[in-house]
Amino acid sequence: MKVSECRPEVQRFACAMEARLQINEFGDGWQKCDVEVLFFRVVEAIGIVAMGMNIPAEPSRAAQENMIRRLVDVANFAMMTAKRIAEFDEK
C-alpha cells in the first residue's frame, strides 16, 4: 500500500509523526536503541497521555495541540519499537 492510498486522517497523522521525528532527530538516534528501551518509552509516553486525559469538554486549541503531540509521540515510539523488532529477522 502506498501512503497516497491511505485515508486522509492517516496521512495527516503520518505527516505529524514525521514532523515530530525531524524535530527530535540527532546523532544515531533510535536506530541504535535497545528494543527494551524503546518499549519503555512507549509505556512512558502512554502514561503521559493518560495523566493528561482530564481534558475539558471543549479544550483550548493549545490543549488540543498538546494532546495530539503526545499521541504522536506514543505512535512514534511504537513505530520505532516495531522497526527494531523487525530488524531481528534481518540479522
Side-chain angles (χ1 to χ4, degrees):
M1 173 174 273
K2 297 177 186 175
V3 174
S4 62
E5 297 171 341
C6 291
R7 300 167 195 228
E9 56 271 22
V10 173
Q11 291 178 19
R12 282 191 300 274
F13 198 80
C15 287
M17 289 174 66
E18 178 59 28
R20 194 88 170 117
L21 286 171
Q22 288 180 15
I23 289 169
N24 293 304
E25 196 161 26
F26 53 90
D28 287 336
W30 60 269
Q31 292 90 347
K32 304 283 186 193
C33 281
D34 291 332
V35 170
E36 294 83 6
V37 171
L38 291 170
F39 185 75
F40 174 78
R41 296 298 306 268
V42 172
V43 173
E44 181 181 52
I46 290 170
I48 291 169
V49 169
M51 287 188 301
M53 286 307 291
N54 57 349
I55 307 172
E58 294 189 31
S60 68
R61 186 69 186 144
Q64 291 173 20
E65 289 173 359
N66 184 52
M67 182 57 69
I68 292 168
R69 186 176 67 250
R70 298 297 184 183
L71 291 167
V72 166
D73 287 344
V74 171
N76 274 333
F77 285 123
M79 177 276 302
M80 293 171 195
T81 305
K83 171 71 169 100
R84 294 289 289 129
I85 289 170
E87 290 172 355
F88 291 151
D89 288 339
E90 297 171 8
K91 292 180 181 180

